[in-house]
């Protein structure tokens, strides 16, 4: 099952995310997105976990947690949080 993670600090690496999600179970892959877009203040990621229960536990435990200074947003649906993440990014830029 894929876990979609938003609001990741630019200093957070794929290795950091792997370590974090392995606490909940087997991680098949980690892919950070937005690394090359230097205008983005935060990154997003797709974390593929081997078992749905482990992915759901990770979402429940990590959603809203502060990691590297950012409060993470997690979802099992890319569309559920994508709009919210974009809106928050625009709000931060306006400040």
């Amino acid at each position: 099952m894929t876990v979609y993670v938003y609001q990741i600090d630019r200093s957070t690496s794929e290795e950091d995310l792997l370590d974090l999600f392995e606490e909940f179970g087997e991680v098949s892959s980690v892919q950070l997105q937005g690394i090359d877009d230097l205008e983005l203040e935060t990154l997003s990621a797709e974390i593929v976990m081997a078992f749905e229960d482990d992915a759901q536990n990770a979402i429940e435990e990590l959603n809203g947690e502060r990691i590297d200074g950012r409060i993470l947003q997690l979802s099992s649906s890319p569309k559920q949080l994508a709009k919210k993440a974009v809106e928050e990014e625009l709000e931060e830029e306006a400040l």
Side-chain angles (χ1 to χ4, degrees), residues 8-57:
I8 301 169
D9 190 76
R10 293 193 69 83
S11 69
T12 304
S13 69
E14 287 184 352
E15 182 76 24
D16 294 334
L17 292 172
L18 178 63
D19 292 344
L20 182 63
F21 279 83
E22 280 183 332
E23 293 177 22
F24 298 94
E26 182 181 339
V27 176
S28 301
S29 68
V30 175
Q31 183 177 12
L32 268 175
Q33 300 171 346
I35 296 171
D36 295 331
D37 188 346
L38 299 178
E39 293 182 13
L40 291 176
E41 190 172 324
T42 62
L43 306 175
S44 61
E46 293 181 11
I47 314 292
V48 179
M49 300 195 71
F51 301 102
E52 185 173 344
D53 288 346
D54 295 339
Q56 288 295 344
N57 287 336

